[in-house]
Structure formats: structure tokens, C-alpha cells
Amino acid sequence: MFLGWDQPALPVAAAHLIKHYVKGGVADLRPATVVLPGQRARRRITELILEEAEARGAKLIPPTATTVGNLPAKLHTNTTALADDVTCRRAWSLALRSTNRSTLEEIFPKLPDNSDLVAWEELAEILSGLHQSLAGEGHRFSDVARICTSGPLFDDGPRWRIMARVQERYLRLLQEVRLADQFEDRMAALESGVDSFTGDLWFVSIVELPSVTRRLVQASGAKVRVLIHSPEGPEAESAFDDFGLPSTDYWNAAHVPVTNEALHIVESPEQQADTVIKFLRGLDSDYTTEDVVLAVHPRSDVVPYLEERLRACDVSPRYAAGTPISHTAPLRLLEAVADYRDDLSFLGLAALLRHPDAAPLINTGAGEITHLEAINAADRYLNDHLPHRLKSNLPHGRKQAAQLPRLVYALERSGPLSQLKGYKGLSQWMPLIRDVLLTVYGDREWDRRRLDHQGLLQTLDQISTVATGLSTLPESLDEECPGSAAIRALLLGLRGEALPPEPQRDAVELLDWLEIPLDDAPVVVFTGFNEGLLPESVRGDAFLPDTLRSLLGLTNNQARLARDAYRLTTVLYSKTVVHFIAGRRTIKGDPLLPSRLMFRIPEEEIATRVLHFFKRDGTDSVSLSLSDLGLQPAVKSEFIVPPERTLKYKVPNVLWVTDFKLILGDCYRFVLKRIYGLEYVDDTAQELDALPFGNLAHDILQAFGQKALEYPPAVDITDAEEVGETLAELLDNEVSVRFSSAALPAVALQVEQLKARLRTFAEKQAEWASRGWQIVAVEQRANGDGVEFELPGGESILLQGRIDRIDYNPDLEEWALLDYKTSAKGESPEETHRKTTGEWKELQLPLYRHIASGILGEDGKPVVTFDKTGEAGIKLGYVTLPQDPKKSGFKVAKWTEPDMASADEKAREAIRELMKGSVEFDPKVTKPNGRPGDELEPLLARGWKASENDSDIWDGESDIEGEAR
């Protein structure tokens, strides 16, 4: 029976059903079983039947409504209990592993270890999917092997014969536990006989019907009534078969009347969303949100942009595909727990600590540390010690980082995480995994009226369902595994599941385009009108290429094209307004092909349409911002970037000599970092970054200096070989304490690199000492709070700093104030302290003169004695340890007393500016510096990138600044 296509299919079908069964004011539809393509259409037909009955004033006794996928269950009675998906996957996995590995490698060239339960479960899922596809058309793997010998371009029979043996083993395993595979059970029902079906089967706009389902319908003797969304006419008989399925030959040649007015070609996904909004804003005011539906594809990049644009219009988007359950908090938590339990990796623990719901697990394991403290401790511990595994004896850590070893120890001794150690059967693990979730979510107060609570509870229900299946596995299908593998097996059982979207009034629906033909909204806008999305196609299948699918009678690309051509035609004729938007490129900039259905038009029009797709005349490819569209973000951010235009602060009474580089370069940054105390610590380090690398070198050189100061000296500083051996020994000892054997692999390489630098330093040190220079002190800072630094007008401020090393040459009666540097550039003091114009940009070394005057020995007397007028010599310099040994050495500045005076004046100028107590944000000065690890970048600008011509590129290392430590 043909419904025509001048109206949507479902309202007309509902009216047809009521008219067929109404009698004496009662519409008794109990004899009817209505079969729909999907669940959404099934729910909608029920609503429409009720509305139609009410409109006729008839009392309704509703029909049974089902989908094509669930129809077989209504056509025959199972004689054996059916295995659920969890049990089937377990049986496939065991069937695979019971097959000889060398034989199995003909199917899967690279097999996982026998102990890798989850990897085998994933292979099992592949075979399960093939089994379902083939069984729907009545084929077993052995049938495919037989067909392969004669049909395809090459004989893939050997692989399929091996898979056939695995399939036989799979079915035997289920039979041994008195369970049946539902797809095999349907084929068996056809062989043994099907019960008679009483009542009427109504097929409504069905476009796909598996062969086994068709045969079950025929064998049941059911009276079948087919409602086809198409007009009746002379071509109707050739356009559809007896079940109303579209003819591949007919629809692959049929015109699809997509007009030029309805077609829009744009460049990017963002522009597709812009075009949708422009179109919706131009709609007649008579249309409401309920009248509009947007067609999207699950693989399309357009959805996030559409949602943003709609919210900016104060319109709620409702994406019918819902939220993948893998994105929900409970599953993310279980995944993090599994990563941690896998091998006690630091990254696994870091991910677990960062989960917003993890606090109860942390408190259960170690109640004295809060959630945020645990995250901070982990980040600092990583940057200090770079652990890879948490199994061996961990270094103790210092300050906040010291909390991490205690936390790991506590988590391993008590709480639900400690129960996930060792090996148990899958069924035995499920209660323990539930305990983890109960610890996290069990004490919450739930309000089922809250939408976020509803979603969380639905997620926990789905987890519980799969966990129940695993906990009740038959003994022969159970298997011992680690706790992490059990969690992953549980997560695998939830793969592909989604939470339905929240119900929203006045929302615009975003539907998979396959749902559009049976949606009754009058206005539809298609996005992603591109090949591979619409029509859908499958290419490069490793097991069922298109040629083989054709021989087996499975849906192939030609059938998909015909199906989609028919569906699209019904939309074009049954909707009031239809628009198509095609993109030229993906979000990554990859080119897209136009849909073949775009060219189902008269031949003389095809060339023009091809040019339309590839022509870039600027009319359709202009990217618009929200303001261009007359929109504002639906929710205004509470963050201000940068945080404040004017920063007010309390002027510090002590400045470190290293502060002046930041004050002179960018006072706004100085206030944020030094006064406001902003710092950034994360868990991304994979090697020693600049500061930890420099600190390690600094600590070794400090220990070396202390050995030289012992009495008698523990090292001869004039002997390069002895200095080198001492430094190597000190480094090995420090590394064993600081990093342990569980450090990340890059650490060992960096330690060897540092040894090479220290060997070069040993040669330079011996040469320096041979000229009469003696080490007098190491790691010295001014006593008390600092040294008074006078300002004009009688004011003063305290200066503080730590001098890495102080040397004295009695022959020359000169002092040297030295700072260690590991920068790869090996720059001289002049290069780091002054611009090419001579202007000071750094004051650390010149201000060391003031710090030195405040360094007192144990006897209370100054360690460094020199005449401030410059009559006695004092040298300022670096000890550089770059990668290039040619740049290594003792580099002394050639500054004069006037230079020092100008440096002091520059310091006073900076201090006077700082004493204003406020600083203005200047985007030309305060911006991300383009270097890795710029902690203030998120606050200062978004998306700013250093120019390729920027000469100040980070070299991967930094100067050692003891004060910053």
C-alpha cells in the first residue's frame, strides 16, 4: 500500500492504521504488530496513533510496536536460553585462544600474549560482528569459505575455513553451558520450523530487511501489510519489492531532485554551522523549534559548532545520539583505576588523582591529605623525581612532594584500590569493582529530578547490568586475570553505549540523517552533504570487501546508495523546506568529496554543479563570528583574560637580585608571579626540564665546592682528572637518591649528558685554579633579610640573593663572584645583561656586589673584603656548562665602575616604578613568550604563537637561578 510522499510517512501511516481497525467508536489495534526501522520511529508511531484516535473520537487499544532488529524474537520461541553479549564475547575469546597460534596468525598476523585478556576480547568482538552480519543473511563462516573459492578476485577461503573452526568451537562452548547464540538460534528455527503468527504484521517504510528475518516472516504465515512512503504509479512495481524494500537497480538510476536553491557549498565545519544559523534566522516566523530538525552524521565535525551557534541564539540543541557512555565520569574513573592498577605507573596515578570524583578513594586510602593536596604533591613529585613506576622504593621527596610516597603506600595498604591486586576470576572481580564505585558514589544524596543526577544514575545502572553479566558467567567461561583486565573487560562491554539526551522543551533536534525520512518536522537542514557521509559507504573491509558482500547477499555499497537515494527523495517530496550544506574541508583541513547524490540531476546540469562545488567566489565561504551573525555567547565567561587590567599590590620590602630581569622586562608578569604567587605545576614532564636539569647540576657543583672547602681539601681543584672523578661520583650518588631505578627512561640519557658537561667543567676548573683562584665559599646569601639598598629621598629597600660561588686570587688580590649557567647558548655576562644598545636588561651580577657586602662568616666578619670605591678588584662572571664544550668555561664581565654605577641607577629606577603599587596591562609587553612551559600563557592570550622569526627561541634549558628554587 502506497502512502504517497506529499506528507511525512508516520502521520499518514498512523491514520491508515486507525482507519483500518476503527469500528463502532473503538480502534482495537491488538491484532497489529507495527514494524519500524528504529526505536525513535517506534516511539513516534505510538504517539501519532494515539493522537489520530483522539482526533476521531475513538477509544484506542494500542498495537504492538517493534523494530526490524527485534522482530525475530516475536516470530519464534526460543527452546534454549540465549547467551547475552558478555557471555558470547567470552565464548568467542576462549574459542580463539583454544586454536593453534600459528594457525590463528593466518587471520590475525600479530596476536596478543595469551595473558592479555582484553586484547583477545577485542579480537573476539571482531569475529562476533562478522558472525552477526553473516548470520542475519543465513550464512555461517563455512559458507563464506565455500563461496570464496569461486567468486572474488582472490581465494580468501583458507582464512574463512580457520574462522569456521573457531565459530564451531564458539557454538560448542555455549552449548556446553546450555546457552544458545541468538543469531544461530534464528537459523535453527528456520530448519526446525517456526510457530504460526496470529495477527497482522505492518511494515512501515522499511528499507532494509535481513534475509533470515524475511524467511522467518514467510515461514510464520503472518499476514503482512507493507506501507510504502511513495506514490502509487506505473513505476512503483519496479521501484520496490514485495516487502516494500527499494530496488537497487531502480534507485541507483533515479533522479534525486536537489535544486541549486537548496544547495549551499562552504569551506569548513564552522562555516556549515554559520550557514545553518543564517538560514534559520531567515525562516518564516510561523515556524517554531518543533518544526525544525537538523540532519547530522555521527562522524561529522559540525555538531559542536551547531550546538554553540544555537545556544548563542538562546535555542537549546538536542543531539539525539546522546552522550557516549565512555565520556561519563564513572567510566573515566574506572579507566583511570585500571591504568593505575596495570603496573602502578605514575601517569596512571596522576590521571586518577585528577578525576573530579576521586576524592573518596584518596580519603579512604590516606585521610590526612586532601584531593587538591594529592594532585599538587603528585605534580611536584614528578617534576622533582620523574618516576615511571611506583613499585620500587620511591625517593622521599621534599616539601609538598613528600606526601606522594605516603599516599601511594596508604593506597596500597587499605581502601578499595588495595583490593584490586593479584589474580582472580572475572566473576570474582565484579563485587570488588562495585566497591570502588560505591566508595565514590555510594554516599551521595541523589535527586532524580536533577538531570545531571539522572544521567549519572543511568550510567551506574548500565555498568551494573554488564557487571552482573560478568559476575554470573558460567564457570567454564570464567577466567583468572588481574583486576585492571577485569575493569577493561567491563568497559569493553559498555563500548558503543550512549546516554539518551536530556528532554528539553523548545529544543532544536540534531538527528542522524537516517532518522530524517521518518521524522515529521516540516523543515530540515542537512549538513555534511558529502561522500562517505551521505550516502554512506564502507571501503577496505579486511574480511568482507564489497565484492564478497555482493556474492553473499549482504548490504553492499550499491544497495546503500540506492537506499539513501530513495530516503533522500522521500524527504525532498514530503518536507516543506529542505536545504543541503556541503563542506569542502574537514576541521583538520583535509579535502572532502561532494556527495554522489548531489549529481542525480539531468546530465546537462551536472557540469554547472561540479563548478559550483569547486568554485571559490567568496559568496559561500566567508567565516562569520557570533557577532557577525548578530549573536552573543549564551553564557558569559566569569574569567577575564588577562585577570585584571590594573594590578594593585603591596610593595615588597625585599627584592631578590633575579627579580630585576622580570621587572625590567615585564612588570605585570613580575607582579603575577612574585607578588601574587601564581605558579604552574603539571604532570606532563617526560624528562628533566630546564629548571630541574639546572638544579641537579647546581647541586652537584655545590657539593663539589663544599668538598674543596674541607680541611684538608677532599679534592684537588687543580687536577682535572680528580675533579672529574669527584663530580661523576657525586652525580651518581645524587641520581640514585633523587630518582631511583624507577625513573623515566630519558633521565638516564640526561644524566650521561650532564656527566659530559661536568667533564668539560673539570678541565676548565683545573685551568682556572692553576691561575691562582681558590674557592672561598659556595651558596652564600646575605645575612638576615638582606642588604639595605638606598634610594633617593632617604628611602631604602632590602636586596637579597644567593651567590653560587665565591673565589679569591691572593696573587691578584681579587675576588670573583660566580654564577653557574647551563644554558645551551653559553652566553657571556654582557650578552645576558645588556641589550645591543647598552641598556641594562638584567642586573643579577652587578647587584651581587651589594649582596657580597652582607655575607658574614661564622666569626661575624664579612667573607668578602673589598673596597667599594673599586681600588681593590672584584670580578663578576659565569661558569657556563652548555652542550657545546667550546662554549664552556669561566666568563668574566669586563664592566667598569661607571658601568656598575649605571646598573645601580637602573635598579633604583625599577624600584621607584615598582613602588607605585599598581601596574597596567600592556598587551604589547605582556604576552605569552612562545616558550614551552610558559605558565601564564592561559591568562595572557589565547592562541598567540611566537613568530617564526622570533630570535628569542627557547633552547631547551635555562639558567640556574638559586633564588627561584
Side-chain angles (χ1 to χ4, degrees):
M1 291 169 280
F2 293 89
L3 303 176
W5 54 22
D6 56 342
Q7 298 181 61
L10 293 187
V12 180
H16 197 98
L17 284 161
I18 293 294
K19 182 179 178 181
H20 185 84
Y21 288 103
V22 69
K23 187 175 182 181
V26 176
D28 186 355
L29 273 66
R30 283 178 294 182
T33 298
V34 186
V35 184
L36 284 304
Q39 291 290 354
R40 191 172 191 275
R42 182 190 67 80
R43 292 190 296 269
R44 182 59 178 153
I45 195 74
T46 304
E47 297 170 355
L48 290 169
I49 288 172
L50 177 59
E51 291 175 8
E52 183 67 23
E54 290 177 346
R56 291 173 178 263
K59 180 180 179 182
L60 175 68
I61 303 177
T64 299
T66 189
T67 63
V68 171
N70 292 328
L71 178 58
K74 299 185 178 298
L75 298 175
H76 76 98
T77 304
N78 302 317
T79 56
T80 307
L82 298 180
D84 59 20
D85 291 342
V86 169
T87 305
C88 289
R89 187 167 53 250
R90 287 268 64 237
W92 276 112
S93 178
L94 293 174
L96 276 168
R97 272 180 287 175
S98 65
T99 305
N100 182 275
R101 282 185 71 91
S102 60
T103 302
L104 209 55
E105 285 172 351
E106 294 294 321
I107 309 173
F108 303 110
K110 189 173 182 179
L111 294 173
D113 294 337
N114 283 334
S115 60
D116 192 344
L117 179 143
V118 176
W120 285 101
E121 296 267 311
E122 290 176 337
L123 294 182
E125 202 166 55
I126 294 173
L127 292 192
S128 178
L130 292 170
H131 168 70
Q132 293 179 30
S133 298
L134 291 163
E137 296 299 328
H139 299 301
R140 296 182 176 91
F141 290 175
S142 56
D143 300 328
V144 183
R146 187 167 54 255
I147 291 173
C148 278
T149 59
S150 57
L153 296 176
F154 66 97
D155 183 5
D156 202 22
R159 279 207 309 168
W160 283 100
R161 281 190 286 275
I162 295 170
M163 288 193 288
R165 294 201 295 272
V166 176
Q167 187 180 48
E168 291 168 3
R169 174 60 178 155
Y170 157 75
L171 294 172
R172 283 200 303 272
L173 285 170
L174 290 182
Q175 189 177 12
E176 288 169 4
V177 294
R178 298 181 181 180
L179 293 173
D181 173 88
Q182 63 170 322
F183 300 98
E184 185 71 18
D185 193 56
R186 292 171 187 176
M187 290 193 288
L190 286 172
E191 297 170 0
S192 62
V194 178
D195 298 337
S196 297
F197 186 85
T198 57
D200 305 328
L201 281 178
W202 291 81
F203 280 54
V204 180
S205 199
I206 300 298
V207 294
E208 290 182 302
L209 190 65
S211 174
V212 167
T213 305
R214 182 195 295 252
R215 290 158 58 191
L216 284 170
V217 170
Q218 293 169 330
S220 70
K223 184 185 293 183
V224 181
R225 302 177 185 273
V226 181
L227 301 180
I228 302 173
H229 194 200
S230 177
E232 190 170 7
E235 295 185 352
E237 293 298 324
S238 60
F240 304 94
D241 68 7
D242 291 343
F243 278 87
L245 306 182
S247 162
T248 299
D249 291 337
Y250 179 89
W251 289 103
N252 272 341
H255 282 186
V256 179
V258 177
T259 65
N260 290 333
E261 293 73 23
L263 182 60
H264 308 271
I265 313 296
V266 297
E267 195 71 18
S268 66
E270 184 176 6
Q271 290 164 11
Q272 290 193 53
D274 292 342
T275 306
V276 170
I277 297 301
K278 284 196 295 182
F279 168 71
L280 295 181
R281 287 168 65 88
L283 275 178
D284 192 295
S285 59
D286 291 339
Y287 290 113
T288 68
T289 53
E290 293 182 355
D291 297 325
V292 178
V293 64
L294 305 180
V296 298
H297 192 281
R299 297 202 310 271
S300 170
D301 300 323
V302 180
V303 173
Y305 294 106
L306 275 176
E307 291 179 325
E308 179 195 24
R309 296 308 199 247
L310 288 169
R311 290 191 180 100
C313 295
D314 288 330
V315 175
S316 298
R318 186 176 185 273
Y319 185 33
T323 302
I325 195 170
S326 59
H327 294 179
T328 60
L331 265 74
R332 297 278 196 189
L333 179 73
L334 289 177
E335 187 177 8
V337 170
D339 288 344
Y340 170 65
R341 275 268 64 100
D342 252 345
D343 51 9
L344 283 182
S345 72
F346 174 84
L347 291 179
L349 176 63
L352 176 59
L353 294 179
R354 271 180 161 72
H355 194 288
D357 296 341
L361 293 177
I362 297 167
N363 295 337
T364 301
E368 75 280 359
I369 183 171
T370 68
H371 193 181
L372 288 178
E373 287 173 342
I375 295 172
N376 186 41
D379 290 349
R380 293 184 182 280
Y381 195 87
L382 174 66
N383 285 278
D384 286 348
H385 303 287
L386 290 172
H388 182 42
R389 297 276 184 270
L390 301 174
K391 293 179 180 179
S392 59
N393 292 329
L394 294 173
H396 293 298
R398 55 179 183 167
K399 298 183 180 178
Q400 298 102 317
Q403 294 175 306
L404 185 79
R406 295 197 295 270
L407 172 62
V408 173
Y409 181 75
L411 291 176
E412 291 301 295
R413 282 181 60 99
S414 62
L417 295 184
S418 67
Q419 303 302 311
L420 297 177
K421 294 186 287 189
Y423 281 74
K424 291 183 175 66
L426 271 170
S427 59
Q428 295 173 291
W429 281 121
M430 293 305 116
L432 300 177
I433 295 172
R434 282 198 186 101
D435 286 347
V436 172
L437 295 174
L438 281 171
T439 300
V440 175
Y441 299 107
D443 292 335
R444 290 195 180 186
E445 295 184 2
W446 299 99
D447 183 353
R448 291 187 178 271
R449 294 170 297 180
R450 287 182 52 177
L451 296 179
D452 57 334
H453 284 200
Q454 291 175 19
L456 202 50
L457 289 168
Q458 288 174 12
T459 301
L460 294 171
D461 285 342
Q462 291 194 43
I463 294 173
S464 179
T465 299
V466 177
T468 299
L470 287 168
S471 65
T472 56
L473 280 172
E475 185 176 350
S476 61
L477 299 181
D478 205 352
E479 182 176 357
E480 283 201 347
C481 63
S484 59
I487 293 174
R488 290 201 166 87
L490 173 61
L491 297 177
L492 191 61
L494 293 159
R495 181 185 292 177
E497 298 295 327
L499 296 180
E502 301 167 352
Q504 299 180 65
R505 296 184 61 185
D506 301 324
V508 169
E509 294 274 2
L510 277 62
L511 297 180
D512 186 327
W513 100 262
L514 295 177
E515 302 276 5
I516 299 298
L518 291 183
D519 187 87
D520 42 319
V523 178
V524 59
V525 183
F526 285 85
T527 62
F529 192 34
N530 293 92
E531 192 64 24
L533 302 180
L534 197 173
E536 290 189 313
S537 59
V538 176
R539 301 189 183 278
D541 191 297
F543 293 96
L544 291 172
D546 207 56
T547 304
L548 182 56
R549 295 183 74 91
S550 300
L551 290 170
L552 292 167
L554 274 65
T555 301
N556 58 14
N557 286 335
Q558 287 299 308
R560 291 188 187 94
L561 178 61
R563 173 201 69 186
D564 293 349
Y566 162 66
R567 283 173 161 169
L568 198 58
T569 302
T570 65
V571 171
L572 285 164
Y573 281 107
S574 63
K575 306 294 184 184
T576 307
V577 181
V578 183
H579 281 264
F580 297 87
I581 304 172
R584 293 192 181 100
R585 293 189 177 275
T586 67
I587 195 171
K588 295 180 179 179
D590 298 327
L592 292 169
L593 292 174
S595 169
R596 280 175 288 172
L597 296 176
M598 190 186 295
F599 302 101
R600 291 293 192 83
I601 53 180
E603 288 186 8
E604 62 271 17
E605 299 176 14
I606 290 178
T608 303
R609 184 152 292 179
V610 170
L611 290 174
H612 181 43
F613 184 84
F614 290 104
K615 184 178 181 182
R616 290 176 173 82
D617 57 7
T619 57
D620 287 319
S621 298
V622 178
S623 181
L624 301 174
S625 66
L626 291 179
S627 59
D628 293 331
L629 294 166
L631 308 176
Q632 293 295 328
V635 179
K636 187 176 180 181
S637 173
E638 295 182 9
F639 291 94
I640 302 171
V641 181
E644 297 289 348
R645 284 289 169 182
T646 301
L647 289 180
K648 295 185 180 297
Y649 53 87
K650 181 180 179 181
V651 178
N653 57 4
V654 179
L655 288 177
W656 287 74
V657 295
T658 49
D659 288 338
F660 286 88
K661 180 178 180 179
L662 200 50
I663 296 172
L664 295 175
D666 185 352
C667 194
Y668 192 94
R669 271 181 181 269
F670 169 78
V671 174
L672 287 176
K673 295 178 71 172
R674 295 287 197 266
I675 300 180
Y676 278 34
L678 293 184
E679 62 175 336
Y680 184 89
V681 184
D682 65 14
D683 62 351
T684 61
Q686 294 295 308
E687 61 182 7
L688 285 169
D689 289 334
L691 186 59
F693 184 87
N695 284 341
L696 176 61
H698 181 280
D699 291 345
I700 301 307
L701 292 169
Q702 177 186 349
F704 161 75
Q706 290 169 341
K707 278 187 170 292
L709 290 172
E710 292 180 11
Y711 187 82
V715 57
D716 182 358
I717 62 174
T718 64
D719 187 332
E721 184 176 351
E722 186 175 340
V723 171
E725 291 175 354
T726 301
L727 289 169
E729 182 181 354
L730 289 170
L731 179 59
D732 288 339
N733 292 338
E734 180 63 21
V735 168
S736 65
V737 172
R738 186 175 300 193
F739 299 111
S740 82
S741 60
L744 288 165
V747 173
L749 177 60
Q750 289 182 292
V751 168
E752 292 305 313
Q753 291 173 337
L754 180 54
K755 280 185 179 179
R757 297 192 192 195
L758 292 174
R759 283 194 295 271
T760 302
F761 164 79
E763 296 172 2
K764 302 296 182 179
Q765 167 61 51
E767 180 185 342
W768 173 260
S770 67
R771 287 154 46 190
W773 289 99
Q774 303 169 0
I775 300 175
V776 174
V778 294
E779 282 292 306
Q780 293 295 310
R781 53 177 285 176
N783 282 40
D785 293 331
V787 176
E788 190 172 10
F789 187 70
E790 296 181 355
L791 303 172
E795 294 183 293
S796 65
I797 196 168
L798 294 176
L799 289 181
Q800 186 57 281
R802 182 182 287 109
I803 302 175
D804 291 344
R805 184 168 138 181
I806 301 173
D807 284 12
Y808 180 66
N809 191 318
D811 297 332
L812 303 175
E813 296 185 351
E814 289 183 338
W815 295 88
L817 309 181
L818 302 172
D819 199 54
Y820 293 123
K821 297 290 182 183
T822 57
S823 170
K825 294 180 180 179
E827 294 174 308
S828 67
E830 287 87 351
E831 291 173 312
T832 60
H833 280 68
R834 305 182 87 165
K835 300 179 181 179
T836 55
T837 60
E839 183 182 359
W840 291 98
K841 61 180 180 179
E842 161 77 282
L843 299 173
Q844 180 182 6
L845 289 181
L847 295 181
Y848 269 177
R849 298 155 35 252
H850 301 279
I851 301 300
S853 67
I855 298 174
L856 305 180
E858 293 181 359
D859 57 2
K861 296 180 179 179
V863 171
V864 180
T865 56
F866 63 95
D867 189 337
K868 291 184 181 180
T869 64
E871 293 177 3
I874 184 166
K875 296 183 179 296
L876 304 170
Y878 290 155
V879 182
T880 57
L881 290 83
Q883 285 181 323
D884 186 352
K886 295 179 181 178
K887 297 180 180 180
S888 181
F890 288 71
K891 297 183 178 181
V892 177
K894 299 177 181 179
W895 294 322
T896 64
E897 215 34 54
D899 289 327
M900 297 297 94
S902 70
D904 287 350
E905 182 55 34
K906 190 68 175 178
R908 293 186 178 94
E909 179 185 320
I911 294 169
R912 284 196 296 270
E913 190 67 26
L914 192 65
M915 284 186 166
K916 293 179 180 179
S918 68
V919 61
E920 295 294 321
F921 172 73
D922 182 352
K924 294 180 179 179
V925 176
T926 304
K927 61 183 180 180
N929 59 31
R931 299 175 176 180
D934 178 9
E935 64 271 24
L936 298 182
E937 181 168 353
L939 295 178
L940 302 180
R942 185 176 300 168
W944 186 88
K945 186 178 181 181
S947 167
E948 293 180 1
N949 298 321
D950 190 346
S951 60
D952 188 21
I953 300 299
W954 183 67
D955 54 27
E957 302 175 49
S958 78
D959 300 336
I960 303 171
E961 297 182 0
E963 297 87 315
R965 297 170 63 235

